Amino acid sequence: MEKLKARAALRNVGLRPSIEPSLGWELENAFTVLASGTLEDIEAWLTRTDPEK
């Protein structure tokens, strides 16, 4: 969990539990939810959007 939070912080986004429990977790910035789902889904989104690729 801490590694995901650190990776998210590199993109100026936060990781939080979803308001809707069925959605799991949300990756969000000040304006919108960028991704939602399991922690594995969030990790996959961060990997796909990795600027170092």
Side-chain angles (χ1 to χ4, degrees):
M1 173 77 89
E2 293 306 314
K3 286 183 179 184
L4 285 180
K5 286 183 179 181
R7 288 178 68 190
L10 292 174
R11 293 168 178 80
N12 297 319
V13 296
L15 179 64
R16 67 174 185 180
S18 176
I19 295 170
E20 295 291 329
S22 63
L23 296 178
W25 294 86
E26 293 179 339
L27 194 61
E28 47 94 29
N29 65 18
F31 305 104
T32 189
V33 172
L34 303 169
S36 62
T38 65
L39 290 176
E40 291 81 16
D41 295 335
I42 300 297
E43 184 174 17
W45 188 92
L46 289 168
T47 299
R48 282 192 309 272
T49 61
D50 193 350
E52 296 180 10
K53 285 187 175 181

